[in-house]
Amino acid sequence: MNRRQTLAALAATTGGAVLSASAPSAAPLAKDPPPFAYALNVSTIRGQNLGFVKELEVASKAGFRHVEIWMNSFQDYLKTHKTADVRKLLGDLGLKVENAIGFAQWIVDDETTRTKGVDQLKQEMDLLAEIGCKRTAAPPMGATNQPGLDLRKAAERYRTILELGDKTGVVPQLELWGGSKNMNKLSEVMFVAIESGHPSARVLLDIYHLYKGGSSPASLPLVGKPGIEVFHLNDYPTNPPRETIVDADRVYPGDGIGPVRETLKQIKTPGKTIVLSLELFNKDYYAQDALVVAKTGLEKMKKVAEGV
């Protein structure tokens, strides 16, 4: 190897070292978001009559970072406070409001009642937008006792409130109620959501309500990736039977006979976090300390979702 070749080799080696030292390291591979986040629907501790602030405080102390609020409790608080106070409260407690539970009659056949229901929902959406909540429940309130609701008309009415969501930034989640005479099956809820023809259509489902209405969890993958953002988590006992079981019979996830883990496997979506919200109305839990109930609920939620 002559002198010229030696110098060329040294230059190449040194240059490569400089380039290697100055080149940015490869970016770390992005991790998938967690499949589930855990929320407390304050229905679970409403029987203790704590009021809006204490409900949120209990959720935070129990370890929840996400909540579902009820509109009536929220609006009662706003009689003496402002939405800015709620935003500060949420920030202090480290909570995010993922969804709200309201009962506007937006879906009914009676035009006067429906118009009032849509107006009510618009007002609620405006308030929710001010505290950073992007969703609200849209159950078939007012259309639960008499069967025969025209699902095509229901789809038109759902589109109407979805268009309100376009303006407010709060998307109504079409809720399945298993005990209702209408919108009690997954097939009906999905028909209305799809027939609405709106890209923001979403469905709000529930372990108990799927069972009560007679829908199989095996059909859940047909909902599709964007369809579920919030899912109500609970369980149900052997007795009473499906025909007579009611909301108050719901139990902690994992304490009943429901296919909870199987259902979570069906709704789990790679690349997406679904909010699991504990929704119970159990009178035995209402007789207990609210913080104990909330902590127990969070522990049981995490246990049934572990490894799914």
Side-chain angles (χ1 to χ4, degrees):
M1 194 172 187
N2 61 33
R3 182 173 178 273
R4 180 176 296 175
Q5 290 172 325
T6 302
L7 290 173
L10 286 171
T13 302
T14 304
V18 171
L19 286 172
S20 177
S22 61
S25 58
L29 294 175
K31 293 183 179 180
D32 281 343
F36 305 116
Y38 303 97
L40 178 68
N41 184 321
V42 296
S43 67
T44 302
I45 54 172
R46 276 177 65 82
Q48 284 85 342
N49 298 310
L50 303 176
F52 183 71
V53 173
K54 288 187 177 180
E55 288 171 347
L56 296 181
E57 289 175 346
V58 166
S60 180
K61 289 178 182 177
F64 286 98
R65 301 277 68 88
H66 310 268
V67 289
E68 275 189 291
I69 62 174
W70 279 47
M71 284 306 305
N72 56 359
S73 181
F74 175 38
Q75 289 173 308
D76 283 345
Y77 181 74
L78 291 180
K79 291 176 182 178
T80 53
H81 296 79
K82 298 180 179 180
T83 52
D85 299 319
V86 179
R87 291 197 302 273
K88 183 179 186 305
L89 177 64
L90 292 167
D92 291 344
L93 295 175
L95 292 173
K96 180 180 179 182
V97 180
E98 295 288 356
N99 193 35
I101 305 300
F103 302 100
Q105 297 189 46
W106 61 273
I107 199 172
V108 298
D109 287 332
D110 182 79
E111 186 174 357
T112 301
T113 302
R114 187 171 68 252
T115 299
K116 290 180 180 178
V118 172
D119 290 342
Q120 174 187 334
L121 193 56
K122 169 65 165 60
Q123 293 171 11
E124 293 175 356
M125 286 175 161
D126 286 338
L127 292 175
L128 292 170
E130 290 182 23
I131 64 168
C133 178
K134 301 297 185 183
R135 308 178 187 91
T136 188
M141 188 67 184
T144 59
N145 295 325
Q146 299 296 325
L149 178 69
D150 187 326
L151 295 184
R152 294 187 185 278
K153 290 182 179 178
E156 293 172 3
R157 295 163 190 172
Y158 183 42
R159 184 178 180 90
T160 295
I161 63 173
L162 284 167
E163 290 171 351
L164 286 182
D166 291 338
K167 298 175 182 177
T168 62
V170 179
V171 178
Q173 314 282 294
L174 188 63
E175 188 170 12
L176 184 155
W177 274 4
S180 172
K181 294 295 197 306
N182 301 290
M183 307 288 287
N184 63 355
K185 292 187 177 296
L186 181 61
S187 56
E188 294 175 346
V189 172
M190 287 304 300
F191 178 88
V192 171
I194 293 170
E195 191 68 13
S196 73
H198 196 288
S200 295
R202 299 291 185 270
V203 294
L204 181 57
L205 307 176
D206 181 305
I207 293 282
Y208 162 79
H209 281 301
L210 288 168
Y211 169 68
K212 178 67 177 177
S215 294
S216 171
S219 300
L220 285 169
L222 297 174
V223 176
K225 180 175 180 178
I228 300 173
E229 295 182 353
V230 178
F231 189 90
H232 286 161
L233 196 61
N234 39 56
D235 207 337
Y236 48 85
T238 304
N239 288 305
R242 185 168 67 86
E243 292 73 21
T244 57
I245 198 170
V246 296
D247 286 330
D249 295 316
R250 304 185 203 188
V251 295
Y252 292 122
D255 282 7
I257 62 168
V260 180
R261 284 182 61 83
E262 293 83 352
T263 300
L264 295 183
K265 289 176 182 177
Q266 296 285 15
I267 67 171
K268 180 180 176 181
T269 305
K272 176 181 178 179
T273 299
I274 292 173
V275 177
L276 301 179
S277 184
L278 183 68
E279 187 183 56
L280 301 168
F281 300 85
N282 192 299
K283 292 181 180 178
D284 289 339
Y285 303 161
Y286 287 165
Q288 300 172 27
D289 179 78
L291 183 56
V292 171
V293 172
K295 283 184 174 179
T296 303
L298 181 56
E299 289 171 2
K300 290 181 179 288
M301 292 173 80
K302 290 181 176 180
K303 184 175 181 180
V304 297
E306 185 177 4
V308 168

